[in-house]
């Protein structure tokens, strides 16, 4: 039958950590005692304090030290090393104090003479060896804090004041009317806002500033779109499957995968070598992997591990669009219109320097809209696929599309015809959400 715990303490004494720092530490010990006044095995609880009286560590019998915020990095590492001089001396002082006749126990049944180093050591429960993982885990304050909390990344770089923000509203031919058209408009490309998190929209493109002006042209022939996604062949042989499952089990148990990855491979190798049906072939496969010998298993046995070949989704793709416009001005005003249309695309796709030239900002991006004819601004054409915001990747101007050099006799020597080839690529891939925004399910959408 146990009585009230006995409590005693050691005086503060100088100890030196692994980096040479000297600390004054003292220990308070509380133990259970039996009816004969002898320490009960494995009942000691130790509290270590510094010269300020701050608790720096606590320890149960047979356990490793648990540290408070008052403990420094080197104190933790030194105390967790059972063979360090600090640990040895501190343990000896505690055992010596617990073995003294005037131990200061608070129980009336405490028999001073029964206390000795053997019973004191039994009460301490031994001193366990801290694992490397426990040593690493004892020093979290030395590692940088990695967290996705805090404000999102939302950084804008202003462009130079001389970046053109106003273009005319351009149409070719100038008497274009009563037909379906394609309209191009521009806006600045401001990048994205980045936030952290799982299961949320953590990368959101910022809305660019619209650039005044547009180009409207007849819908050319040969318009098309091509939706595609990227799939690659993937394999998962039995050895790889075993390693995946073992790694998942390890992480679900709360253990550190990086610290135990060697054990995962070791257990997988044991499992393969002990297989009674295919033991020899599996050992040969392990030898093949260990020596990086290509085709050893197939050469020796005429077989391979089942790769479980499967076509696996890899990533979405970005769509390309190409347009060719032939423009032959019929008078001077229309000639100026054609030249401004070409300039609209060329200047819009040019890079935009900052005022001091430190950065180069993105070229403007383009919104492209197929318009059905109405008396006013044409609505989105419902029978042609829509196009998301695009970057203009290439703008090619052919000044002699008829195969020979010919100009008008005006003051600007206007070419008799121009051929403009525009190659666009969407900024973001198509996904299901883009289709869900359509109220009319009879439209093509994207």
């Amino acid at each position: 039958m146990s009585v009230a715990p006995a409590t005693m303490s050691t005086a503060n004494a100088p100890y030196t950590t692994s980096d040479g720092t000297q600390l004054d530490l003292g220990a308070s010990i509380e133990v259970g005692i039996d009816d004969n006044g002898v320490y009960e095995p494995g009942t000691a609880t130790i509290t270590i304090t510094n010269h300020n009286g701050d608790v720096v560590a606590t320890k149960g019998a047979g356990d490793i030290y648990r540290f408070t915020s008052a403990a420094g990095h080197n104190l933790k590492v030194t105390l967790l090393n059972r063979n360090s001089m600090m640990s040895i001396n501190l343990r000896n002082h505690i055992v010596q104090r617990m073995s003294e006749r005037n131990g200061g126990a608070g129980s009336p049944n405490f028999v001073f003479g029964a206390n000795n180093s053997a019973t004191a050591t039994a009460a301490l429960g031994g001193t366990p060896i801290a694992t490397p993982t426990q040593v690493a885990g004892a020093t979290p304050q030395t590692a940088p804090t990695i967290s996705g909390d805090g404000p999102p990344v939302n950084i804008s770089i202003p462009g130079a004041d001389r970046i053109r923000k106003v273009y005319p509203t351009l149409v070719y031919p100038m008497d274009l009317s009563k037909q379906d058209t394609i309209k191009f408009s521009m806006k600045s490309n401001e990048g994205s806002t980045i936030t952290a998190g799982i299961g949320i929209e953590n990368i959101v493109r910022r809305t660019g500033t619209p650039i005044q002006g547009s180009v409207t042209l007849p819908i050319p022939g040969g318009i098309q779109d091509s939706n595609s996604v990227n799939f690659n062949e993937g394999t998962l042989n039995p050895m790889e499957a075993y390693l995946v499952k073992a790694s998942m089990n390890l992480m679900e148990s709360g253990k550190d995968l990086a610290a135990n990855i060697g054990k995962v491979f070791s257990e997988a190798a044991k499992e393969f070598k002990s297989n009674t049906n295919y033991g020899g072939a599996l050992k040969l496969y392990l030898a093949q992997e260990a020596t990086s010998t290509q085709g050893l298993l197939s050469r020796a046995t005429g077989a391979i591990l089942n790769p479980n070949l499967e076509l696996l989704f890899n990533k979405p793709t970005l769509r390309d669009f190409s347009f060719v416009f032939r423009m032959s001005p019929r008078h001077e005003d229309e000639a100026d219109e054609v030249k401004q249309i070409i300039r609209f695309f060329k200047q819009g796709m040019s890079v935009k320097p900052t005022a001091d030239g430190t950065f180069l900002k993105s070229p403007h991006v383009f919104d492209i809209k197929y318009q059905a004819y109405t008396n006013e601004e044409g609505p989105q054409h419902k029978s042609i696929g829509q196009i998301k915001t695009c970057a203009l990747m290439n703008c090619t101007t052919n000044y002699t599309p008829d195969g020979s050099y010919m100009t008008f006799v005006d003051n600007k020597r206007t070419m008799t015809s121009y051929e403009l080839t525009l190659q666009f690529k969407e900024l973001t891939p198509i996904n299901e959400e883009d289709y869900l925004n359509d109220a009319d399910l009879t439209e093509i959408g994207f």
Side-chain angles (χ1 to χ4, degrees), residues 167-184 213-219 325-342 344-345 371 373 376-378 420:
Y167 291 78
T169 299
L170 303 166
V171 178
Y172 175 86
M174 294 185 70
D175 57 358
L176 177 65
S177 64
K178 297 184 179 180
Q179 71 179 80
D180 297 344
T181 57
I182 183 170
K183 180 179 179 180
F184 300 88
S214 63
V215 168
T216 302
L217 301 166
I219 295 179
F325 299 99
R326 181 76 169 266
M327 296 178 287
S328 301
R330 296 164 297 174
H331 49 76
E332 189 171 357
D333 288 342
E334 195 164 76
D336 290 342
E337 195 86 353
V338 168
K339 294 170 194 174
Q340 289 186 87
I341 288 172
I342 296 173
F344 175 89
F345 291 107
Q371 298 182 139
Y373 167 73
E376 299 177 357
E377 174 77 14
L420 184 64

Side-chain angles (χ1 to χ4, degrees), residues 1-334:
M1 177 179 177
S2 298
V3 295
T7 304
M8 62 210 72
S9 61
T10 67
N12 278 47
Y15 296 91
T16 304
T17 64
S18 57
D19 70 335
T21 302
Q22 186 169 301
L23 299 172
D24 289 332
L25 302 178
S28 173
I29 311 102
E30 182 180 275
V31 293
I33 55 175
D34 62 19
D35 291 339
N36 297 317
V38 179
Y39 299 131
E40 291 187 336
T43 61
T45 300
I46 301 170
T47 301
I48 306 297
T49 56
N50 60 22
H51 65 283
N52 292 324
D54 299 323
V55 175
V56 294
T58 58
K59 176 184 177 304
D63 195 6
I64 64 171
Y65 282 104
R66 308 293 176 181
F67 300 98
T68 70
S69 59
H73 165 72
N74 286 290
L75 172 61
K76 295 178 181 181
V77 173
T78 309
L79 273 181
L80 286 176
N81 178 7
R82 65 178 295 171
N83 296 318
S84 69
M85 291 306 299
M86 175 185 286
S87 295
I88 293 172
N89 290 338
L90 192 58
R91 186 166 62 246
N92 288 341
H93 285 179
I94 291 172
V95 170
Q96 180 182 356
R97 182 60 171 158
M98 292 170 65
S99 303
E100 293 175 355
R101 287 180 174 272
N102 58 344
S107 166
N109 296 323
F110 188 80
V111 180
F112 294 106
N115 307 314
N116 54 51
S117 58
T119 53
T121 300
L124 289 174
T127 303
I129 299 175
T131 66
T133 300
Q134 289 170 323
V135 173
T139 59
Q141 80 279 9
T142 63
T145 300
I146 300 176
S147 173
D149 296 335
V153 178
N154 188 6
I155 301 172
S156 296
I157 298 177
D161 294 336
R162 297 187 63 220
I163 291 178
R164 187 176 179 182
K165 299 178 177 64
V166 178
Y167 291 78
T169 299
L170 303 166
V171 178
Y172 175 86
M174 294 185 70
D175 57 358
L176 177 65
S177 64
K178 297 184 179 180
Q179 71 179 80
D180 297 344
T181 57
I182 183 170
K183 180 179 179 180
F184 300 88
S185 55
M186 288 191 297
K187 59 187 176 185
S188 63
N189 185 9
E190 301 297 340
S192 301
T193 297
I194 303 172
T195 57
I198 298 175
I200 65 171
E201 293 290 339
N202 57 340
I203 302 178
V204 180
R205 287 195 61 82
R206 288 194 290 270
T207 302
T209 302
I211 304 301
Q212 185 176 326
S214 63
V215 168
T216 302
L217 301 166
I219 295 179
I223 60 169
Q224 60 182 334
D225 57 38
S226 177
N227 290 33
S228 62
V229 290
N230 186 278
F231 281 78
N232 285 337
E233 293 182 356
T235 62
L236 184 69
N237 68 40
M239 179 67 168
E240 294 166 338
Y242 185 98
L243 293 174
V244 170
K245 181 59 179 174
S247 298
M248 289 296 296
N249 290 341
L250 188 66
M251 289 186 286
E252 289 174 359
S253 69
K255 295 182 179 179
D256 183 9
L257 177 60
N260 292 276
I261 192 66
K263 295 180 180 179
V264 173
F265 280 92
S266 177
E267 290 301 318
K270 289 180 183 178
E271 185 81 13
F272 267 45
K273 288 187 289 187
S274 64
N275 187 286
T276 56
N277 295 324
Y278 306 108
L282 293 175
K283 289 176 184 177
L284 188 62
Y285 170 78
L286 293 173
Q288 171 183 294
E289 295 302 298
T291 60
S292 299
T293 304
Q294 298 294 323
L296 177 62
L297 181 61
S298 181
R299 179 187 294 271
T301 67
I304 61 171
L305 277 183
N306 183 356
N308 293 301
L309 181 64
E310 187 177 348
L311 191 64
L312 303 175
F313 174 64
N314 184 41
K315 63 180 179 180
T317 61
L318 299 171
R319 301 191 300 177
D320 297 289
F321 297 89
S322 183
F323 304 98
V324 180
F325 299 99
R326 181 76 169 266
M327 296 178 287
S328 301
R330 296 164 297 174
H331 49 76
E332 189 171 357
D333 288 342
E334 195 164 76

